[in-house]
């Protein structure tokens, strides 16, 4: 016995177990076949409890059979639910699973029953063969790579070797129950690790019906439907121990404790992640997510350093900004009267009122920004290419090579099997399988596409509403801030109408984004379920594309407006452009004389920072507050009273789409730091700080707040890889257009190298502003109580047009066309340079490292060789056994095949 020491105790428990087993066998009534809650009625049950002081265990009452899965329910006297449970438990036992029930009287709330499930060796072997689970058959003799030079430098960041490598390296092969002697089976109880065991049991639970033999109702199948209709409250595998305390030696490993100690605590933020232990405990799918997140964070470090250098350059070149000095100069900027920025409410204004915003714009709009935009185009390529190599190495180390073809694409979702009643012969497997008719598939796809378009249209409508808000409220801010009768002049020096409008509009837009996200998440899941994808991989890919398309429009549309539309269709004082034509009185927004880049920076900072802050609050603070009482109760309850299944039952459930939202959050962040990074070089730094926190918050949630997820496999990050590639290509285009049309870099360069007489920026501000005759301004555009000097007959506006009195009055001048040509040339050159470098880097860096290719080929060769030798030896043993059998008697086989082989080699007399 494992759980109770002492000979007398063992004898007592064995006798009690035998009595209970015979009692259950004879009794087929009650709460289902095999229910052991009647154990409480047996003589000596109280004595057994005294002999078993610790209920914080992962074993059945006998201390031998491991609990592979737990189902919990509250018996509310509903006869239909009771009938479903009895039928489900009976069908589970028919598959070979062993059940044991904990009565509600033994639980803390005196309401909850717990059904513990154990998969014996025969069941595990059968379904491991069905699922083609790879298991070890020989210890690997392929040497590992050599030590990295200067390894001592990374020693402070490393974890103990037993944590980084919790198991030996083996050659593996898909399990075959007819070849058990081929594999390294030292102990059948521990041959399949807990993660594999719970994966097999969940596979059975998801496909087990809960109708009786006399009925054939296909929809009454699977644990998911039983959870949705309230028959069971929860279904989960158990954690191996408490996260703050090691398990006892006879209870197995303490992997959860090790993960918490070396990974989940925030003080370990500078340490490497124990990916092999994560993979072993949670499965490959969760392991590959943390591997990607860790690699992404590592690569962000280089982008953050370069962005910080570019921002530092902007700060250090602060005093050399001649354009801002001219704007702030009382004799230059103070003498330039600007035309009103809106109708009626906006007065004429002096250029030097935008002094502060011009200095702020210079911090992000300088020569270093061009270099940083090019650098990020190359960085994103290096990130994606190096991740492919890291991913290929993990695929080999974790036995994921060719995994999808063998398992994920061939495993049909239970929902698909239930809802699709028509069947046909699979051309590949030649077996009958369910299928969705083409007409039904087209109808479902059409409805799904229409729903997606409807919601995207709703987003566009909200963005148009925010733009209308910006246009309407700008006049109000202009009249308030500029009104000399109001006592806010101190604020007006630092907050311009453009800045006030931009900040408030960005905050409103962020709130709208969060509200739309809440509703669309439910809609996306609903329409994906309605399409009835065939496999889990297909389901995740469809949901991924829908959610990302929506999030892309939702998060980035406002940034695209500020970057590429605001200030581009304004017109000029004699012919202003209006939103939705002349039907409205909302005049299109103009950019600040310092450019629209600072407003794009403001929009990006508010939306990106707000999203990250809200995400961290949702992921860390809310779960901490919600589960504080449960954790506290678990710590202060004696182990013999608070069982392992009760501790895990109060934790949060980790849904099948749990990782989906984690990926989505990071990919949206990736879009922010690549698509618009030219406007805010510090974006990678903010993302780096967020991700350092994100890794530990996610680790803390997995180890302390979530039930143990069902282990599942994945060889890569799925559809997210293609999305990242698309965002990387689009980022080159967006940053080139931002530098050309949103930034003032190109106009300044044209003036410096073409128009300036002394090759300096003196006179640039005057050159970038056109002149308009005030007497020609239409009355509807004039301020109601406008102010301008009597001696001033003209006002200035941001454009490149001919002055009044010119032969082509108010038409674009030659400087405009020179600048436009320079912008187009810059876009073409930058895109081609970055794309050429990207493709060259992608060509130079192979997706799979050469040593990994060699190891894969070597391992495949050795596997074939070992398998061939095994088959040859097996045939020899069978032949020798048939020769040694007496005529007319049954064949007998020697247990030791090596001993039999040696006997066969002896001469036969």
């Amino acid at each position: 016995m494992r759980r109770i020491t002492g000979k007398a105790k063992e004898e007592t428990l064995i006798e009690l177990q035998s009595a209970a087993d015979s009692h259950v066998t004879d009794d087929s009534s009650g709460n289902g076949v095999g229910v052991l809650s009647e154990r409480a009625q047996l003589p000596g049950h109280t004595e057994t409890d005294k002999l078993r002081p610790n209920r914080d265990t992962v074993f059945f009452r006998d201390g031998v059979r491991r609990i592979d899965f737990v189902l919990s329910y509250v018996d509310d006297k509903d006869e239909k639910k009771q009938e479903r449970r009895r039928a489900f438990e009976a069908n589970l036992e028919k598959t070979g699973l062993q059940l044991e029930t904990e009565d509600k009287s033994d639980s803390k709330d005196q309401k909850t029953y717990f059904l513990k499930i154990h998969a014996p060796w025969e069941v595990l072997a059968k379904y491991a063969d069905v699922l083609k689970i790879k298991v070890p058959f020989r210890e690997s003799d392929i040497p590992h790579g050599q030590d990295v030079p200067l390894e001592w430098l990374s020693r402070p960041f490393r974890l103990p070797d037993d944590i980084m490598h919790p198991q030996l390296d083996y050659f593996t092969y898909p399990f075959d129950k007819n070849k058990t002697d081929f594999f390294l089976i030292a102990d059948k109880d521990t041959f399949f690790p807990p993660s594999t065991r719970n994966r097999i049991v969940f596979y059975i639970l998801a496909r087990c019906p809960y109708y009786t033999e006399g009925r054939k109702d296909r929809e009454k199948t699977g644990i998911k439907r039983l959870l949705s209709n309230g028959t069971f409250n929860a279904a989960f595998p158990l954690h191996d121990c408490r996260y703050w305390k090691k398990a006892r030696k006879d209870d197995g490993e303490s992997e959860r404790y090790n993960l918490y100690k070396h990974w989940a605590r925030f003080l370990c933020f500078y340490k490497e992640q124990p990916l092999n232990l994560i993979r072993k405990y949670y499965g490959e799918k969760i392991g590959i997510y943390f591997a990607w997140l860790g690699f992404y964070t590592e690569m962000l470090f280089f982008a953050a350093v370069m962005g910080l250098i570019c921002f530092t350059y902007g700060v250090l070149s602060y005093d050399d900004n001649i354009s801002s000095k001219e704007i702030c100069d009382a004799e230059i900027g103070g003498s330039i009267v600007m035309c009103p920025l809106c109708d009626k409410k906006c007065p004429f204004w002096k250029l030097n009122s935008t002094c502060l915003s011009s200095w702020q714009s210079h911090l992000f709009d300088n020569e270093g920004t061009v270099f940083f935009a090019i650098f990020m185009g190359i960085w994103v390529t290096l990130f994606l290419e190096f991740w492919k190599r890291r991913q290929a190495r993990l695929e080999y180390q974790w036995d994921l090579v060719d995994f999808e073809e063998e398992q994920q694409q061939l495993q049909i979702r239970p929902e698909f099997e239930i809802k699709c009643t028509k069947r046909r012969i699979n051309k590949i497997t030649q077996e009958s399988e369910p299928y969705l008719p083409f007409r039904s598939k087209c109808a479902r796809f059409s409805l799904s596409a229409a729903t997606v378009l409807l919601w995207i249209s709703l987003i566009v409508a909200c963005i148009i509403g925010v733009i209308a808000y910006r246009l309407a409220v700008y006049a109000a801010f202009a009249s308030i801030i500029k009104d000399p009768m109001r006592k806010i002049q101190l604020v007006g020096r630092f907050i311009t109408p453009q800045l006030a409008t931009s900040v408030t509009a960005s905050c409103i837009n962020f709130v709208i984004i969060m509200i739309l996200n809440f509703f669309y998440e439910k809609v996306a899941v609903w329409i994906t379920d309605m399409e009835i994808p065939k496999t889990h991989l297909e389901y995740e890919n469809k949901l991924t594309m829908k959610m990302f398309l929506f999030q892309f429009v939702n998060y980035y549309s406002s940034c695209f407006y500020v970057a590429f539309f605001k200030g581009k269709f304004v017109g000029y004082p004699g012919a202003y452009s209006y939103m939705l034509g002349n039907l409205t009185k909302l005049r299109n927004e103009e950019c600040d004389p310092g450019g629209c880049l600072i407003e794009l920076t403001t929009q990006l900072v508010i939306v990106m920072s707000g999203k990250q802050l809200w995400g961290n609050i949702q992921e860390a603070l809310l779960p901490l507050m919600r589960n504080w009482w449960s954790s506290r109760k678990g710590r202060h309850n004696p182990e013999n009273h608070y069982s392992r299944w009760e501790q895990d039952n109060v934790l949060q459930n980790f849904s099948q789409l749990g990782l989906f939202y984690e990926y989505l959050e990071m990919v949206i962040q990736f879009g922010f730091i690549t698509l618009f990074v030219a406007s805010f070089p510090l974006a990678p730094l903010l993302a780096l700080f967020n991700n350092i926190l994100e890794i530990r918050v996610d680790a803390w949630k997995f180890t302390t707040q979530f039930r143990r997820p069902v282990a599942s496999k994945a060889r890569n990050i799925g559809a997210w890889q293609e999305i990242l590639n698309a965002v990387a290509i689009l980022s080159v285009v967006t940053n080139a257009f931002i530098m050309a049309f949103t930034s003032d870099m190109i106009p300044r360069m044209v003036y410096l190298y073409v128009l300036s007489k002394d090759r300096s920026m003196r006179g640039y501000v005057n050159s970038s502003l056109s002149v308009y005759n005030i007497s020609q301004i239409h009355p509807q555009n004039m301020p109601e109580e406008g102010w301008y000097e009597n001696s001033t007959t003209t006002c200035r506006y941001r454009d490149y047009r001919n002055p009044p009195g010119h032969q082509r009055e108010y038409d674009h001048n030659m400087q405009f066309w020179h600048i436009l040509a320079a912008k187009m040339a810059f876009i073409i050159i930058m895109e081609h340079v970055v794309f050429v470098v990207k493709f060259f880097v992608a060509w130079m860096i192979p997706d799979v490292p050469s040593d990994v290719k060699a190891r894969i080929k070597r391992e495949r060769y050795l596997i074939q060789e070992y398998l061939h030798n095994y088959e040859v030896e097996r045939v020899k043993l069978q032949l020798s056994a048939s020769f040694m059998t007496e005529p007319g008697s049954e064949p007998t086989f020697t247990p030791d095949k090596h001993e039999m082989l040696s006997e066969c080699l002896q001469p036969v007399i």
Side-chain angles (χ1 to χ4, degrees):
M1 300 295 292
R2 288 186 179 180
R3 304 289 297 128
I4 304 175
T5 59
K7 184 175 180 180
K9 294 180 181 179
E10 289 182 4
E11 293 175 351
T12 303
L13 286 179
I14 291 172
E15 292 174 0
L16 289 170
Q17 179 66 30
S18 301
D21 289 343
S22 61
H23 176 73
V24 172
T25 304
D26 296 336
D27 185 10
S28 59
S29 61
N31 213 14
V33 181
V35 176
L36 299 181
S37 60
E38 290 83 1
R39 185 184 301 272
Q41 302 172 5
L42 296 176
H45 178 65
T46 306
E47 297 178 10
T48 307
D49 284 342
K50 294 178 181 179
L51 295 174
R52 179 174 45 84
N54 193 336
R55 300 182 69 225
D56 186 21
T57 179
V58 293
F59 292 96
F60 272 20
R61 295 192 189 102
D62 57 14
V64 176
R65 292 175 293 173
R66 187 181 186 92
I67 301 173
D68 297 313
F69 228 86
V70 173
L71 307 180
S72 67
Y73 63 92
V74 176
D75 192 358
D76 53 3
K77 307 303 180 183
D78 189 327
E79 294 183 0
K80 289 185 178 180
K81 292 181 180 180
Q82 292 178 0
E83 182 182 353
R84 294 190 201 115
R85 281 193 290 266
R86 284 194 293 268
F88 189 64
E89 292 172 13
N91 290 330
L92 286 178
E93 287 202 322
K94 289 178 182 178
T95 64
L97 296 178
Q98 298 176 4
L99 311 180
E100 183 177 84
T101 299
E102 289 288 333
D103 192 82
K104 65 179 181 180
S105 60
D106 294 329
S107 62
K108 293 294 294 182
D109 59 5
Q110 300 289 304
K111 298 178 182 178
T112 307
Y113 293 86
F114 292 94
L115 179 65
K116 300 177 288 185
I117 302 174
H118 169 76
W121 167 257
E122 293 75 15
V123 175
L124 294 174
K126 174 183 176 181
Y127 285 94
D129 192 354
V130 171
L131 297 175
K132 303 299 180 185
I133 293 175
K134 290 185 175 182
V135 294
F137 68 89
R138 184 184 179 91
E139 189 172 341
S140 175
D141 56 0
I142 299 179
H144 292 280
Q146 299 179 352
D147 293 338
V148 180
L150 301 178
E151 186 180 3
W152 59 273
L153 290 175
S154 61
R155 198 167 296 162
F157 308 102
R158 295 199 174 276
L159 294 174
D161 191 63
D162 62 323
I163 301 298
M164 291 300 298
H165 305 283
Q167 54 190 1
L168 297 176
D169 189 14
Y170 292 99
F171 289 140
T172 59
Y173 188 76
F175 186 80
D176 188 342
K177 63 181 180 180
N178 298 319
K179 300 177 181 178
T180 54
D181 53 345
F182 177 67
F183 303 101
L184 296 177
I185 306 178
D187 184 358
K188 291 183 178 180
D189 292 335
T190 59
F191 178 68
F192 292 106
S195 57
T196 302
R197 297 174 68 100
N198 70 55
R199 179 181 163 211
I200 291 174
V201 173
F202 183 75
Y203 180 86
I204 298 172
L205 292 174
R207 287 158 175 80
C208 182
Y210 54 91
Y211 52 76
T212 57
E213 293 183 358
R215 300 174 60 186
K216 296 294 181 183
D217 190 348
R218 293 181 56 83
E219 291 190 356
K220 292 187 176 182
T221 303
I223 186 63
K224 290 184 179 180
R225 294 187 65 85
L226 290 173
L227 291 172
S228 62
N229 60 32
T231 304
F232 289 101
N233 294 341
F236 52 91
L238 291 178
H239 284 292
D240 60 359
C241 66
R242 302 188 179 202
Y243 68 85
W244 66 87
K245 183 179 181 181
K246 279 188 175 182
R248 298 183 304 167
K249 292 183 179 180
D250 55 354
D251 253 356
E253 301 181 39
S254 301
E255 293 175 351
R256 185 190 188 192
Y257 170 79
N258 290 330
L259 286 170
Y260 177 75
K261 180 180 178 181
H262 298 283
W263 178 51
R265 295 189 302 172
F266 184 75
L267 294 179
C268 300
F269 72 92
Y270 63 94
K271 295 281 189 179
E272 60 183 337
Q273 296 188 87
L275 295 178
N276 289 321
L277 185 57
I278 297 171
R279 172 243 181 173
K280 182 184 177 185
Y281 192 72
Y282 292 114
E284 287 79 0
K285 190 171 185 178
I286 292 177
I288 206 76
Y289 163 72
F290 281 104
W292 175 81
L293 180 57
F295 182 77
Y296 172 44
T297 305
E298 292 173 12
M299 292 296 292
L300 271 178
F301 174 78
F302 302 101
V305 170
M306 190 57 63
L308 186 61
I309 292 174
C310 292
F311 179 76
T312 304
Y313 171 79
V315 174
L316 295 178
S317 61
Y318 201 71
D319 294 334
D320 299 331
N321 184 12
I322 297 177
S323 299
S324 295
K325 288 181 178 180
E326 289 186 348
I327 291 175
C328 297
D329 191 291
E331 297 181 358
I332 301 176
S335 62
I336 297 178
V337 177
M338 303 295 294
C339 298
L341 295 176
C342 64
D343 297 340
K344 301 296 184 181
K345 298 295 182 181
C346 297
F348 293 90
W349 53 285
K350 294 293 184 70
L351 180 61
N352 61 354
S353 64
T354 61
C355 175
L356 183 61
S357 64
S358 68
W359 285 113
Q360 294 170 343
S361 180
H362 174 74
L363 295 177
F364 307 104
D365 189 6
N366 52 67
E367 294 79 3
T369 308
V370 180
F371 168 78
F372 186 64
I374 297 174
F375 169 83
M376 287 300 295
I378 300 172
W379 173 88
V380 72
T381 303
L382 292 174
F383 163 64
L384 294 175
E385 292 302 319
F386 282 128
W387 164 245
K388 291 178 184 177
R389 291 171 62 85
R390 178 74 66 89
Q391 186 172 258
R393 196 175 295 277
L394 289 175
E395 285 179 19
Y396 167 72
Q397 294 174 354
W398 292 355
D399 282 327
L400 298 172
V401 179
D402 300 328
F403 163 71
E404 284 185 355
E405 290 75 11
E406 294 178 1
Q407 297 190 24
Q408 269 191 294
Q409 293 181 356
L410 298 179
Q411 289 182 15
I412 300 177
R413 295 173 64 237
E415 294 84 354
F416 186 86
E417 294 177 331
I418 294 170
K419 295 180 181 179
C420 299
T421 56
K422 296 186 178 181
R423 306 184 72 84
R424 65 182 176 186
I425 301 298
N426 188 302
K427 296 180 180 179
I428 300 176
T429 62
Q430 293 298 312
E431 295 180 357
S432 176
E433 67 175 12
Y435 80 100
L436 188 65
F438 180 76
R439 181 179 298 178
S440 177
K441 186 180 296 185
C442 289
R444 293 172 185 273
F445 176 79
S446 300
L447 179 59
S448 174
T451 306
V452 172
L453 290 176
L454 175 64
W455 278 84
I456 291 180
S457 301
L458 179 61
I459 298 173
V460 174
C462 292
I463 295 300
I464 293 175
V466 173
I467 295 173
Y469 164 84
R470 297 172 70 104
L471 301 178
V473 174
Y474 177 83
F477 278 118
S479 61
I480 293 175
I481 294 178
K482 300 300 179 182
D483 190 349
M485 298 302 294
R486 298 181 182 270
K487 299 180 180 179
I488 56 172
Q489 285 301 298
L490 181 61
V491 177
R493 291 176 54 193
F494 299 98
I495 301 180
T496 62
Q498 291 94 336
L499 181 60
T501 304
S502 179
V503 171
T504 55
S506 299
C507 294
I508 293 174
N509 184 66
F510 175 73
V511 173
I512 293 175
I513 287 172
M514 293 294 104
I515 294 174
L516 291 177
N517 275 347
F518 174 78
F519 289 105
Y520 187 76
E521 285 179 3
K522 302 181 182 301
V523 173
V525 173
W526 175 76
I527 58 179
T528 306
D529 290 336
M530 182 264 301
E531 292 179 9
I532 321 179
K534 185 176 182 180
T535 65
H536 290 288
L537 182 63
E538 184 181 354
Y539 181 89
E540 290 187 5
N541 288 344
K542 286 188 174 183
L543 182 61
T544 297
M545 297 306 298
K546 291 180 181 65
M547 282 297 296
F548 179 75
L549 180 62
F550 175 82
Q551 299 274 28
F552 184 91
V553 178
N554 198 19
Y555 278 106
Y556 303 145
S557 54
S558 58
C559 292
F560 273 103
Y561 164 74
V562 175
F564 305 123
F565 295 97
K566 182 180 178 181
K568 307 301 186 295
F569 308 98
V570 177
Y572 59 96
Y576 284 121
S577 298
Y578 289 83
M579 182 181 179
L580 304 178
N582 294 325
L583 298 177
T584 63
K585 296 184 180 181
L586 299 176
R587 205 169 92 191
N588 288 344
E589 281 187 287
E590 295 187 39
C591 287
D592 192 275
C596 273
L597 193 70
I598 187 63
E599 293 192 40
L600 177 59
T601 303
T602 303
Q603 179 79 24
L604 182 64
V605 170
I606 290 177
V607 176
M608 179 181 174
S609 302
K611 181 183 183 303
Q612 293 184 164
L613 180 62
W614 177 248
N616 290 329
I617 291 175
Q618 283 185 311
E619 291 187 14
L621 295 182
L622 294 182
L624 183 63
M625 294 172 61
R626 184 167 53 247
N627 292 301
W628 174 80
W629 176 250
S630 299
S631 299
R632 183 173 179 271
K633 183 172 65 173
R635 283 179 178 268
H636 293 282
N637 271 279
E639 291 183 348
N640 59 324
H641 291 148
Y642 203 42
S643 62
R644 162 70 27 221
W645 42 91
E646 288 181 277
Q647 295 174 42
D648 288 5
N649 188 56
V650 298
L651 299 178
Q652 297 181 67
N653 180 47
F654 184 78
S655 66
Q656 183 182 355
L657 299 177
L659 281 183
F660 169 81
Y661 295 108
E662 302 293 344
Y663 274 119
L664 182 62
E665 179 184 3
M666 289 296 103
V667 171
I668 293 297
Q669 182 201 84
F670 180 80
F672 278 125
I673 69 168
T674 53
L675 295 175
F676 311 103
V677 72
S679 67
F680 188 47
L682 294 181
L685 184 63
L686 294 181
L688 176 64
F689 290 147
N690 176 79
N691 286 11
I692 291 174
L693 179 63
E694 179 77 19
I695 291 175
R696 304 305 159 178
V697 168
D698 287 347
W700 173 78
K701 288 192 305 181
F702 272 96
T703 54
T704 67
Q705 305 301 304
F706 283 140
R707 298 168 185 158
R708 186 173 184 174
V710 177
S712 57
K713 288 182 175 288
R715 62 177 297 187
N716 51 41
I717 61 176
W720 299 111
Q721 183 74 40
E722 297 303 322
I723 291 176
L724 292 175
N725 291 332
V727 172
I729 294 174
L730 181 61
S731 67
V732 177
V733 179
T734 56
N735 283 298
F737 273 85
I738 288 174
M739 294 307 304
F741 289 99
T742 309
S743 168
D744 268 3
M745 183 57 58
I746 302 302
R748 288 201 295 263
M749 293 297 101
V750 171
Y751 179 82
L752 179 64
Y753 294 108
V754 178
L755 302 177
S756 178
K757 297 180 180 180
D758 56 354
R759 290 299 177 94
S760 71
M761 293 301 295
R762 293 185 180 88
Y764 167 73
V765 173
N766 185 63
S767 174
S768 64
L769 299 175
S770 298
V771 181
Y772 197 84
N773 192 338
I774 293 178
S775 61
Q776 294 179 300
I777 297 179
H778 195 277
Q780 70 175 9
N781 302 132
M782 289 291 287
E784 295 175 345
E785 298 178 359
W787 170 90
Y788 56 94
E789 297 179 0
N790 294 333
S791 59
T792 302
T793 58
T794 60
C795 63
R796 311 294 291 273
Y797 60 99
R798 181 185 169 88
D799 208 342
Y800 297 96
R801 296 181 180 272
N802 295 317
H806 192 276
Q807 184 178 0
R808 302 183 63 184
E809 188 178 54
Y810 303 134
D811 288 343
H812 288 297
N813 56 26
M814 288 304 299
Q815 186 177 356
F816 171 83
W817 299 111
H818 288 159
I819 292 174
L820 181 61
K823 288 180 177 180
M824 299 306 298
F826 173 82
I827 291 174
I828 294 173
I829 293 173
M830 178 178 172
E831 286 185 355
H832 281 70
V833 168
V834 175
F835 278 131
V836 167
V837 174
K838 280 170 64 71
F839 292 130
F840 178 75
V841 170
W843 174 75
M844 286 289 294
I845 303 175
D847 292 347
V848 182
S850 57
D851 63 317
V852 172
K853 287 183 179 179
R855 287 170 180 267
I856 292 174
K857 292 179 180 179
R858 172 67 175 164
E859 183 168 338
R860 285 175 176 172
Y861 168 76
L862 292 176
I863 288 174
Q864 293 300 322
E865 184 179 10
Y866 293 144
L867 193 61
H868 172 75
N869 294 337
Y870 167 79
E871 294 292 348
V872 170
E873 185 179 356
R874 189 177 183 183
V875 170
K876 289 180 179 179
L877 292 173
Q878 292 176 351
L879 291 174
S880 62
S882 63
F883 285 137
M884 296 179 64
T885 304
E886 292 291 335
S889 62
E890 294 294 330
T892 57
F893 295 92
T894 306
D896 192 341
K897 60 183 179 181
H898 299 289
E899 182 180 345
M900 173 62 75
L901 184 59
S902 63
E903 292 180 2
C904 293
L905 296 177
Q906 297 177 2
V908 180
I909 301 176

